[in-house]
Amino acid sequence: MNPSPRSCRYFLADVFTGQAFAGNPLAVFPEGDDLSDAQMQRIARELNLSEAAFVCAPRVANGCRVRIFAPARELPFAGHPTIGTAHVLAHIGAFDFRDGDNHLEFLEGVGPVPIRVVMRDGRPAFCQFTAAVLPELGDSLSSEAYASILGLLPEDVRDDRQGPDAVSCGVPFHMVPLTDHNRLGLVQLDMVSYNMWASRSWAASICVFANDPQIPHRYHVRVFSPSFGFYEDPATGAAAAALAGYLARREPQLDGSFQWEIWQGVAMGRPSQLYIEADKRDGRIEAIRVGGTAVVIGEGVLYL
C-alpha cells in the first residue's frame, strides 16, 4: 500500500472586492514552512492565478513571513496577496484580533510591510498596507513609444506634466496616463513590441490609467504584466502604490494627506476597488497606503 500523500491546506479569496467572483483571486497557504522554493513555484504555476501566497516562519504575535509567487517567478512584494493574506489570516483566527483597528507586519522580499486590519463583529472588514518602499523613479519612454506598445494612437497618451513616468514602491511599473478614460477599452498590447522592450526595461509591467471626468478623485486603471505569467491583472496593489506615488508627486500642495479611488478589472469582468493614500510633508512623500476589502470564497487541500 502506498503511503498517504502529503497535503497542504489553502484558502481562496477574492481581493479588492466585497463580493465573490470579482476582484483578484488569490490562493493563501497558511502553513507554508515545509514547502521548498521549487514546490511553491510549481503550486503557483499549477493554480495559475496571478499570485499565490505562502505564510512561513518566523511567526510572532503580530506578524509572519509571507512569500509571494506568480506563475512565472517569485515576487519581492505584491499588493493583492498582502491584503488577501491579511484577510484570510484574520478570517481563520490566526491572530488575536478585536473589533476595531488591529496591526500586523508581514516580512516580504522588500522588507517589513505594516498592515492595518479593521475588524467588525469578529470579521475582517478592511485591510490596508503601508508601502515598505517609498516611490522610486526609473527611465520612462516617450508618449509615442507607449502608444505603439499599447496599440493606441499617439494622441491617446498624455504628453504634458501629467504624462508617463516609471515608478516603483517595491515593484516597478510604467505609469501611462491616457487623455480619455474611454480609450482604456481599446488597449491591446503589441506583443512583439512589448517583448522586445520588456526584456531590457527597468519595469516590465504597464499601468494604464485615466481620470474619471465625473469624479476627480477616481481613476480607471488597467495593468498588464505578461512577463510575470499573466496578460492582464484585475486588481494590482503594487501598481496602486506606484500610482499613489505618481499622483502625489504631481499634487501641487506641499503638505497634507491625499486620497484617491481606483477602479480596475472592469474590462475583465472582475470589477475591483482599491483605495490609495499618500502623505506629503515639505513636498516630500512620507507614506503610501493601499487598502481594500476581500472575501474568502473557498478552501481546499492540495496533495503534494
Side-chain angles (χ1 to χ4, degrees):
M1 176 181 272
N2 292 328
S4 298
R6 218 171 117 236
S7 62
C8 196
R9 181 177 63 144
Y10 68 96
F11 291 83
L12 292 176
D14 287 332
V15 186
F16 292 123
T17 180
Q19 63 184 35
F21 311 120
N24 201 347
L26 172 74
V28 179
F29 291 78
E31 297 105 17
D33 300 287
D34 294 332
L35 297 172
S36 68
D37 293 6
Q39 286 174 318
M40 292 181 191
Q41 187 64 76
R42 282 197 287 267
I43 288 170
R45 190 177 301 118
E46 176 71 18
L47 295 178
N48 201 33
L49 303 175
S50 56
E51 282 106 6
F54 301 86
V55 179
C56 304
R59 303 166 190 264
V60 294
N62 66 335
C64 53
R65 184 185 183 199
V66 175
R67 299 184 64 182
I68 300 166
F69 285 78
R73 67 180 74 173
E74 183 175 7
L75 304 179
F77 162 74
H80 106 271
T82 299
I83 294 294
T85 301
H87 182 97
V88 167
L89 293 178
H91 172 83
I92 65 176
F95 296 95
D96 185 21
F97 286 162
R98 300 285 188 263
D99 278 4
D101 281 10
N102 300 267
H103 297 279
L104 272 178
E105 187 172 88
F106 287 166
L107 180 60
E108 300 186 15
V110 292
V113 180
I115 304 159
R116 179 170 69 98
V117 179
V118 180
M119 301 288 289
R120 294 189 188 127
D121 299 323
R123 298 179 179 179
F126 183 82
C127 298
Q128 180 188 64
F129 70 80
T130 299
V133 178
L134 291 176
E136 301 172 339
L137 302 181
D139 293 332
S140 58
L141 305 179
S142 67
S143 296
E144 292 79 7
Y146 284 122
S148 176
I149 293 169
L150 296 170
L152 298 175
L153 299 173
E155 55 265 32
D156 291 332
V157 178
R158 296 188 65 158
D159 61 358
D160 54 11
R161 184 175 177 275
Q162 307 296 325
D165 214 340
V167 185
S168 174
C169 286
V171 178
F173 291 87
H174 287 272
M175 314 303 296
V176 184
L178 302 188
T179 54
D180 185 340
H181 76 287
N182 291 313
R183 307 299 287 175
L184 275 171
L186 302 180
V187 173
Q188 185 71 41
L189 291 188
D190 179 329
M191 292 306 300
V192 173
S193 297
Y194 169 84
N195 288 329
M196 290 178 59
W197 160 76
S199 63
R200 60 181 185 273
S201 175
W202 177 70
S205 299
I206 307 177
C207 175
V208 191
F209 61 96
N211 185 235
D212 189 316
Q214 303 299 321
I215 306 174
H217 68 276
R218 178 180 295 167
Y219 284 82
H220 299 270
V221 171
R222 296 181 69 183
V223 175
F224 301 90
S225 299
S227 65
F228 287 169
F230 51 90
Y231 177 75
E232 183 175 359
D233 205 25
T236 318
L243 180 56
Y246 172 97
L247 295 172
R249 287 187 65 239
R250 288 159 174 78
E251 177 58 50
Q253 295 184 37
L254 299 180
D255 296 276
S257 294
F258 309 95
Q259 297 84 34
W260 303 274
E261 178 183 326
I262 292 174
W263 282 24
Q264 190 181 341
V266 176
M268 303 175 67
R270 299 194 66 94
S272 310
Q273 290 81 46
L274 300 82
Y275 302 92
I276 58 177
E277 301 176 356
D279 296 339
K280 286 178 70 176
R281 184 174 181 180
D282 296 330
R284 296 190 302 272
I285 299 172
E286 292 197 328
I288 297 287
R289 293 178 293 276
V290 178
T293 58
V295 290
V296 175
I297 65 167
E299 60 181 291
V301 175
L302 190 69
Y303 299 115
L304 304 178

